[in-house]
Amino acid sequence: MAELVLCTGLDPDDPDSVTPVVIVAEGRAAEEDAVARLGLYGYEGDGCLYFVQTDGWAERRLEGGLLTVDIVAYPVVLKGLDDAAADRFPERSAADPEALRLLRVSAQVSPGTYARATDITAVLTAPAGMPAEQAVAEARSGGSLPLILAPRPE
């Protein structure tokens, strides 16, 4: 099952910043597979993969201490992903009904810590069963490239 954690120190230029990180595992669920494969469309730079905002984004909301992140993309993006047909994702983006919600993940967080969060959301793909902390540690050491999702374009 996908996990959501808040991590500090992922941005070497701003070590005090907080980044929401979604950890997915390929082969567990269609939702996680689709999000993991979004990296195929990312462009590499600065030790990560950037996903173009016009293709998809991360929608976040904090209610009390519950942070919810929705990863959304337009149906055309899914055409190039194996086993990720748009009809498998009936839920829509809260911001744009044309975009499909691929994954929703929630976690209890400290509102004070979340207040320091950057606008980006990172996605890490890890083997099934790998603890979130280990996946983040591997990304910090350069073992895997995180996929960076921005908020919805204005």
Side-chain angles (χ1 to χ4, degrees):
M1 187 164 140
E3 291 185 65
L4 172 62
V5 295
L6 294 181
C7 297
T8 56
L10 291 181
D11 182 351
D13 296 330
D14 187 4
D16 293 329
S17 67
V18 175
T19 305
V21 178
V22 175
I23 298 103
V24 297
E26 280 190 286
R28 293 201 104 183
E31 298 85 0
E32 291 184 69
D33 282 346
V35 171
R37 289 189 222 144
L38 289 179
L40 297 171
Y41 292 107
Y43 63 93
E44 192 171 345
D46 300 327
C48 61
L49 299 170
Y50 293 99
F51 195 66
V52 179
Q53 281 179 293
T54 54
D55 289 344
W57 57 88
E59 296 175 354
R60 302 187 324 217
R61 68 191 157 286
L62 182 66
E63 296 171 346
L66 183 67
L67 175 61
T68 300
V69 175
D70 290 343
I71 309 254
V72 301
Y74 287 109
V76 69
V77 173
L78 300 182
K79 288 185 179 184
L81 303 177
D82 294 336
D83 297 326
D87 62 350
R88 295 182 77 178
F89 302 96
E91 300 297 323
R92 301 296 173 145
S93 159
D96 182 350
E98 295 298 315
L100 307 173
R101 184 177 79 205
L102 305 180
L103 177 71
R104 172 173 281 170
V105 62
S106 299
Q108 289 292 325
V109 300
S110 161
T113 301
Y114 181 70
R116 298 190 341 257
T118 63
D119 286 344
I120 65 160
T121 301
V123 175
L124 297 174
T125 301
M130 176 182 280
E133 296 78 19
Q134 184 179 349
V136 171
E138 285 192 12
R140 280 190 175 125
S141 68
S144 63
L145 295 178
L147 177 65
I148 305 299
L149 300 171
R152 182 176 183 261
E154 298 295 323

